[in-house]
Amino acid sequence: MSSEGFLKEIQVIGEKFLLKLQKLPKAEPVEIVCFSVVLLFIATVLVLTIIACSCCCYSCCGCDGHPDPRHRKSQVRPASH
């Protein structure tokens, strides 16, 4: 997918989302709950992704941005017989 196609797709999704938000006050309670659950799921995934990335970056690089030598991977070589 080209970058223009991707941007167009994001724009279409954004327009649908705004249309859904505009219709939300008139929606049935079940639809409001479903929409809220979907938003909660998206927010949870984003927060967990940010936490995972920050923990991974922190454990690999430490606070100062330099790699921690204790976490260096060692290469495993086959045993010679």
Side-chain angles (χ1 to χ4, degrees), residues 53-71:
C53 289
S54 64
C55 289
C56 177
C57 186
Y58 179 77
S59 68
C60 292
C61 301
C63 292
D64 57 358
H66 298 295
D68 189 356
R70 292 177 291 171
H71 295 290

Side-chain angles (χ1 to χ4, degrees), residues 10-58:
I10 294 295
Q11 183 180 5
V12 168
I13 291 171
E15 289 173 357
K16 287 181 182 178
F17 182 73
L18 287 176
L19 184 63
K20 191 71 157 175
L21 281 177
Q22 289 172 349
K23 291 181 179 179
L24 202 56
K26 300 173 189 171
E28 296 180 18
V30 174
E31 192 173 0
I32 293 172
V33 169
C34 292
F35 189 72
S36 300
V37 168
V38 169
L39 285 181
L40 182 65
F41 175 76
I42 292 171
T44 304
V45 168
L46 289 175
V47 167
L48 290 177
T49 302
I50 290 169
I51 291 171
C53 289
S54 64
C55 289
C56 177
C57 186
Y58 179 77

